[in-house]
Amino acid sequence: MRAAWVLLTALAALSAYYVYLPLPGTVSDPWKLMLLDATFRAVQQTCHLIHYLRLSHHLIVLNYLICTFDKLKSVSSEDINITDAVFDGVEVRVFEPPAKGDEELKRSVVYIHGGGWALASARTSLYNNLCRIMAESLNAVVVSVEYRLVPEVCFPEQFHDALRATKHFLQPDVLTQYSVDPSRIAISGDSAGGNLAAAVCQQLSKDEHLTIRPKLQALIYPVLQAFDFNTPSYQQNMNMPVLPRYVMINYWIDYFNGNYDLAHSLLINNHTALDVGQALSFRGRLNWTSLLPSSFKKNYKPVIQTTGKAEIIQQIPALLDVRAVPLLAENETLRLQPKTYILTCENDVLRDDGVMYAKRLENAGVEVTLDHFDDCFHGCMIFTIWPTDFSAGIQTRNSYIKWLDENL
């Protein structure tokens, strides 16, 4: 009996050691976040073991587990009609509220889900729930884009999928089919979906043949650059759940179909060192010392290598492709962007991506709302369903929908 108690005590201690992470005192629901992160790490480690044994790619296994345990059928109700469709070869899920009285046309949101360009789905409960609530709260038609994922495809195919689906929806006859007001359309997304939304919005703004363009863009903790992995938020939150810095770097490598051996060089900014000529023209567009407020810069110092590895850019030119890194777009493109909402979280490596994009857009003359949350973390907005229900998720989702309701 005594041996059993000793064993149980040891297991409890090991479990607590595995789960516990030192978190900032401002983070909401800290123990719940620790448990969520421990679950993610355990599942990811299992998937990496399967990858190491060459049984399958770890992202395929991870996404299979996510979708197997969380996949929903298209279930309509009296409040929302949910249908799956194909827009120019790209699968989408459409959420339509019923007509109200004499109302003829509805506003609309094209939504692009996150997941590091590799995980999740428009059909999982997390995004199904978000888009249903958006459609109900806004009385809007929500089109959730089911773009193809890594490793099935890599950049630029995710961008092309999102662009094709959006351009198809913006056709007058398609908008008429869904009773959508062509002057009240937003494009939106979270994390990697925010990256795709920003890139698509930039591309649409330069398309001279389009007669209908989005009225708004709304980006939720978007990932917007792979130029500098040592911005203050990357340094401050390098080990923060649920997106540590090394995980974000690996997502970039997977998106570009690169080699994991490059991860350390990317982490110390060898790919954008002063002797890497290809990066020189972009340096001024991502100077966080001038783009960030002092409250974010704190005492952090820029990490700029004098000599680096130019061959990284030669191997992965997409690191400087604005379709992948919208924060590096030229000012002429930024001036064409619509009214913009950007939500950022203090406890997120991507905080500064969103803040810098907001500043660059503002400098270009675009009306921007930067909605910053001191107690929230990356990915929180989709975590509103038990057992992953966070007060941070409700808080950010309500603020996001409120802005859309007031501006769309």
Side-chain angles (χ1 to χ4, degrees):
M1 179 65 74
R2 183 177 179 182
W5 277 110
V6 170
L7 179 60
L8 286 173
T9 302
L11 288 173
L14 286 172
S15 299
Y17 178 78
Y18 186 81
V19 169
Y20 179 77
L21 287 172
L23 297 176
T26 57
V27 175
S28 62
D29 302 322
W31 278 103
K32 190 179 290 187
L33 179 56
M34 288 183 217
L35 287 168
L36 176 66
D37 181 68
T39 302
F40 280 173
R41 283 186 282 125
V43 172
Q44 287 172 341
Q45 287 164 2
T46 301
C47 293
H48 279 288
L49 175 61
I50 292 172
H51 189 138
Y52 177 77
L53 296 174
R54 299 184 180 182
L55 299 175
S56 181
H57 194 288
H58 69 277
L59 290 173
I60 292 177
V61 178
L62 182 55
N63 213 37
Y64 174 80
L65 293 174
I66 291 171
C67 293
T68 298
F69 288 103
D70 196 34
K71 203 164 190 176
L72 291 177
K73 294 182 179 179
S74 176
V75 180
S76 300
S77 67
E78 294 181 0
D79 299 319
I80 297 294
N81 181 46
I82 303 175
T83 56
D84 292 325
V86 177
F87 286 1
D88 192 16
V90 180
E91 295 181 12
V92 298
R93 174 161 283 192
V94 184
F95 300 76
E96 297 176 86
K100 294 185 178 180
D102 297 331
E103 177 190 57
E104 294 184 1
L105 298 179
K106 290 183 170 59
R107 48 192 176 178
S108 182
V109 180
V110 176
Y111 196 86
I112 307 174
H113 72 80
W117 307 283
L119 304 174
S121 164
R123 296 182 175 92
T124 56
S125 65
L126 297 174
Y127 286 105
N128 196 86
N129 182 62
L130 173 62
C131 290
R132 177 190 287 274
I133 289 174
M134 288 168 60
E136 291 176 348
S137 302
L138 299 170
N139 189 35
V141 176
V142 177
V143 176
S144 187
V145 181
E146 186 80 322
Y147 57 91
R148 291 170 295 167
L149 303 173
V150 174
E152 176 192 353
V153 298
C154 298
F155 176 80
E157 296 309 316
Q158 286 85 348
F159 165 77
H160 287 156
D161 284 358
L163 180 62
R164 285 204 313 273
T166 304
K167 288 182 71 171
H168 178 88
F169 182 64
L170 292 177
Q171 294 179 86
D173 58 329
V174 178
L175 296 179
T176 299
Q177 175 188 344
Y178 289 101
S179 300
V180 168
D181 185 341
S183 67
R184 303 178 73 191
I185 301 170
I187 182 166
S188 183
D190 66 295
S191 192
N195 168 284
L196 294 171
V200 166
C201 209
Q202 289 183 5
Q203 187 65 34
L204 295 176
S205 71
K206 297 183 288 186
D207 191 331
E208 298 178 354
H209 301 292
L210 275 184
T211 57
I212 300 170
R213 291 186 173 87
K215 178 184 180 182
L216 309 171
Q217 66 174 337
L219 312 176
I220 314 303
Y221 31 76
V223 48
L224 298 171
Q225 59 89 23
F227 191 94
D228 185 357
F229 291 110
N230 289 275
T231 63
S233 63
Y234 264 113
Q235 295 187 56
Q236 172 184 302
N237 300 304
M238 64 174 66
N239 296 312
M240 180 65 62
V242 294
L243 188 66
R245 177 168 60 174
Y246 78 92
V247 171
M248 188 64 248
I249 291 174
N250 284 339
Y251 278 139
W252 277 115
I253 291 173
D254 287 322
Y255 188 35
F256 295 146
N257 196 26
N259 192 316
Y260 292 131
D261 292 341
L262 298 176
H264 179 70
S265 286
L266 292 173
L267 186 148
I268 61 175
N269 290 342
N270 270 341
H271 61 304
T272 53
L274 293 177
D275 66 332
V276 179
Q278 302 97 313
L280 289 178
S281 62
F282 295 97
R283 190 169 299 282
R285 302 178 193 177
L286 204 154
N287 180 7
W288 61 256
T289 62
S290 62
L291 292 172
L292 295 178
S294 57
S295 60
F296 287 174
K297 288 186 288 187
K298 299 176 183 175
N299 294 319
Y300 293 105
K301 304 297 181 183
V303 176
I304 304 174
Q305 305 294 347
T306 303
T307 58
K309 295 184 177 180
E311 59 269 22
I312 297 176
I313 299 295
Q314 294 167 2
Q315 291 178 37
I316 313 179
L319 284 163
L320 300 177
D321 190 323
V322 295
R323 297 174 301 169
V325 287
L327 183 53
L328 298 187
E330 57 189 12
N331 290 334
E332 289 73 14
T333 298
L334 298 186
R335 292 190 190 103
L336 301 174
Q337 300 315 296
K339 188 175 183 179
T340 299
Y341 171 91
I342 300 178
L343 187 151
T344 56
C345 298
E346 179 66 21
N347 306 295
D348 181 6
V349 292
L350 302 179
R351 179 200 68 190
D352 295 344
D353 285 25
V355 175
M356 287 190 289
Y357 196 49
K359 187 62 176 177
R360 287 203 66 205
L361 287 170
E362 187 178 78
N363 291 343
V366 177
E367 185 178 348
V368 180
T369 297
L370 178 62
D371 200 8
H372 182 69
F373 292 84
D374 287 325
D375 61 342
C376 296
F377 58 92
H378 186 81
C380 62
M381 199 176 78
I382 61 171
F383 295 124
T384 60
I385 306 172
W386 189 89
T388 57
D389 50 329
F390 287 83
S391 58
I394 302 295
Q395 181 185 8
T396 51
R397 187 185 69 191
N398 289 348
S399 188
Y400 162 67
I401 291 177
K402 181 175 183 289
W403 186 88
L404 284 174
D405 192 34
E406 292 173 350
N407 292 276
L408 185 56

